[in-house]
Amino acid sequence: MRRLFGSVRARAAIGATLVVAVALVAAGLALLWVLRANLTDQTDLQAEVGAQDVASQVALGKAFKDLDLPDDRVVQVVSDGGRVLAVSEDLESVEGAGSSQVRVGGAEPVEDDGEDDPGRGEVSDDEPKLSGGSAVVDGEHADYRFAAVEATTPQGQTVTAYAGAPRSAEQGAVGSVTDAMLIGLPAMLVVVGGVTWLVTRRALRPVEGIRKEMSAITASEDLSRRVPEPDAHDEVARLARTTNETLGALEASVERQRRFVADASHELRSPIASLRTQLEVGSAHPELLDVEGAVRDTVRLQAVAADLLLLARLDAGERPGRAHVDVGLLVREEVSQRSDRLPVMVKVTDGLEVAGSRGQLARVLGNLLDNAQRHARGSVDVWVHGDLGDVLLRVADDGAGIPAAERERVFERFVRLDDARSRDEGGAGLGLAIARDVALRHGGTLTVSEGERGGALFALRLPAA
């Protein structure tokens, strides 16, 4: 049971049913209130018309016993003293009118002014007074709405005419609507819940397929598999496409890691094997030990290990520092500390700062200079200047350049375009990959194009601090 009601289908069905229930109850109550108010107004109007009619007859001087009382109304004419002067036929009891008496008690004496034609009285202009009550007419009890209208007889006697209209029509209509709502509301809620359950179940069926496939991928560790993509263009289809894109990116990342480990093992195997061979030879024949070769292999092994460690930290998402680094000053200091076989021409603009790690930026500059001097014929040029709010560092050589089709490939790890050169001269193929990763971590870019002298031109663009 807990599993059933913990599903999305159950929660959606219950939620939709509750929302519809609240809406229908609110709408039903509002409908009943409006219906009751309208029917009550109609009943009050009927009572007012009856009371006005009787009051008009009284004002015209018609005798109380001769009043024409409406058959469908409960009527009482009551004096100021509370004496019943006229009453409807078959009225057995009444509450809410002028008096509880249902029999005529006779008219109170009225002074005669001696005129043969006393004229006519008048009906009060005040709004009729409305009230609720009940009455028993010919043995049938019913609720009524009473209207009271004051009138003055031609002799000057003030009386009040009460007329009541039955509320049976109002109560019948309200009762019928209430019964219909009590019967229809549960049925409608059952329909809403069932339809929501079925629609949600059908809509979530692809999600279950995605879940099963993801579970199978996790169990098999086969990242080449993909989840099924529905033909629809809804959120579930977009979820499936995004999931497949994530699986593709994960597969590519794992493949890159595998190649990286394989290439790293290959790169480390050569200097380690060479160093071991030299040490074994030196151990057996000390006079044959190549100390300089062993040092070179050790230095190369140390450099590769440092590069791999830096790449691992970058892959782990290590964020650079936020110190302000003067790029022009950094270039001058790094170039002055190098003992290169080719001259480096520096042209920088002072005062251009970026936010980041000075050590990592110096590593980028060193890798770019190493790459340029490795391929240059005569010299290397370095420029630093501002460009559209950024700091632009460019390193160019006068070598053979890089073919356009290979300009992005040079930033891949363990890639060396010049297969003819020796491994010692070419390096491990990690320098440019490290340089681009560091540039990206600093919010910048590193690109390569053809320089003015035909060689490679590397451009490092970083946001100014």
Side-chain angles (χ1 to χ4, degrees):
M1 183 65 68
R2 181 178 181 182
R3 180 180 179 183
L4 175 63
F5 287 98
S7 65
V8 176
R9 294 194 302 270
R11 291 198 298 269
I14 294 173
T17 303
L18 291 177
V19 171
V20 173
V22 172
L24 290 179
V25 170
L29 293 177
L31 175 62
L32 289 176
W33 181 82
V34 172
L35 179 62
R36 186 186 297 275
N38 289 336
L39 293 176
T40 300
D41 290 342
Q42 294 180 10
T43 304
D44 291 342
L45 180 60
Q46 295 175 3
E48 291 177 16
V49 171
Q52 290 283 0
D53 179 57
V54 174
S56 297
Q57 296 181 49
V58 171
L60 291 174
K62 198 170 187 177
F64 295 119
K65 62 184 180 59
D66 297 330
L67 292 176
D68 184 14
L69 304 181
D71 296 336
D72 58 346
R73 305 284 188 274
V74 171
V75 178
Q76 263 191 349
V77 180
V78 183
S79 67
D80 285 346
R83 181 173 299 186
V84 177
L85 304 178
V87 69
S88 301
E89 294 182 5
D90 300 328
L91 181 61
E92 299 177 5
S93 67
V94 64
E95 294 180 3
S99 174
S100 60
Q101 300 295 323
V102 295
R103 294 290 181 268
V104 177
E108 294 181 350
V110 179
E111 296 182 0
D112 188 2
D113 56 6
E115 297 182 5
D116 295 336
D117 184 11
R120 58 178 297 175
E122 58 183 22
V123 179
S124 174
D125 295 333
D126 296 338
E127 289 288 333
K129 297 179 180 178
L130 301 172
S131 62
S134 62
V136 178
V137 179
D138 196 17
E140 295 184 0
H141 180 274
D143 293 330
Y144 284 80
R145 291 286 295 175
F146 288 98
V149 178
E150 291 186 355
T152 304
T153 65
Q155 291 79 21
Q157 182 183 8
T158 301
V159 299
T160 304
Y162 291 90
R167 302 182 62 182
S168 57
E170 170 197 342
Q171 294 173 343
V174 172
S176 298
V177 173
T178 302
D179 293 341
M181 291 178 59
L182 292 177
I183 295 174
L185 180 61
M188 187 175 296
L189 293 180
V190 170
V191 172
V192 170
V195 171
T196 304
W197 175 276
L198 294 177
V199 171
T200 307
R201 179 181 180 182
R202 182 172 182 179
L204 294 180
R205 189 175 301 163
V207 177
E208 180 63 17
I210 295 173
R211 187 201 65 79
K212 289 182 179 179
E213 186 63 24
M214 288 297 295
S215 178
I217 292 173
T218 302
S220 64
E221 298 183 357
D222 183 5
L223 296 177
S224 63
R225 299 174 61 173
R226 297 292 181 265
V227 300
E229 295 187 13
D231 295 333
H233 299 282
D234 55 7
E235 291 82 356
V236 177
R238 291 197 291 271
L239 172 63
R241 286 192 290 272
T242 302
T243 302
N244 284 334
E245 292 172 0
T246 303
L247 289 173
L250 183 59
E251 181 185 12
S253 176
V254 171
E255 184 61 27
R256 285 196 303 270
Q257 291 294 331
R258 289 173 180 171
R259 290 200 306 267
F260 179 77
V261 172
D263 291 339
S265 301
H266 180 72
E267 293 294 333
L268 292 174
R269 186 185 301 116
S270 296
I272 291 177
S274 175
L275 182 60
R276 177 180 177 180
T277 300
Q278 295 181 51
L279 292 177
E280 288 177 349
V281 171
S283 177
H285 306 281
E287 69 279 2
L288 299 179
L289 177 62
D290 184 4
V291 178
E292 294 183 359
V295 171
R296 284 196 305 270
D297 287 337
T298 303
V299 170
R300 186 171 185 277
L301 182 62
Q302 183 181 12
V304 173
D307 288 343
L308 293 176
L309 178 60
L310 178 55
L311 284 174
R313 286 160 46 193
L314 294 175
D315 289 341
E318 177 181 299
R319 294 186 177 182
R322 302 303 299 171
H324 284 196
V325 180
D326 188 323
V327 180
L329 181 60
L330 174 66
V331 170
R332 287 196 179 96
E333 292 179 352
E334 291 299 317
V335 171
S336 65
Q337 295 175 5
R338 296 173 64 91
S339 56
D340 299 316
R341 64 180 182 84
L342 296 178
V344 178
M345 310 301 295
V346 177
K347 184 178 181 180
V348 301
T349 301
D350 295 327
L352 297 178
E353 295 184 342
V354 298
S357 168
R358 189 187 187 286
Q360 292 185 9
L361 293 177
R363 183 67 173 275
V364 172
L365 176 60
N367 290 350
L368 293 179
L369 290 175
D370 289 341
N371 181 79
Q373 291 192 331
R374 187 179 300 121
H375 298 89
R377 295 189 179 93
S379 64
V380 174
D381 297 321
V382 179
W383 300 274
V384 176
H385 59 88
D387 183 60
L388 300 177
D390 297 331
V391 178
L392 188 60
L393 167 63
R394 296 185 297 165
V395 178
D397 62 69
D398 57 355
I402 301 175
E406 303 289 346
R407 288 175 184 170
E408 281 299 313
R409 187 167 171 263
V410 297
F411 295 107
E412 297 179 7
R413 299 174 183 182
F414 300 106
V415 169
R416 291 186 295 267
L417 300 183
D418 188 2
D419 296 333
R421 68 194 177 192
S422 67
R423 187 175 302 274
D424 292 336
E425 292 176 350
L430 294 175
L432 295 180
I434 292 175
R436 171 164 279 189
D437 281 355
V438 171
L440 294 177
R441 294 296 187 276
H442 283 74
T445 59
L446 178 61
T447 59
V448 61
S449 59
E450 183 178 353
E452 296 179 356
R453 295 185 293 171
L457 172 62
F458 287 85
L460 173 64
R461 180 181 294 272
L462 299 172

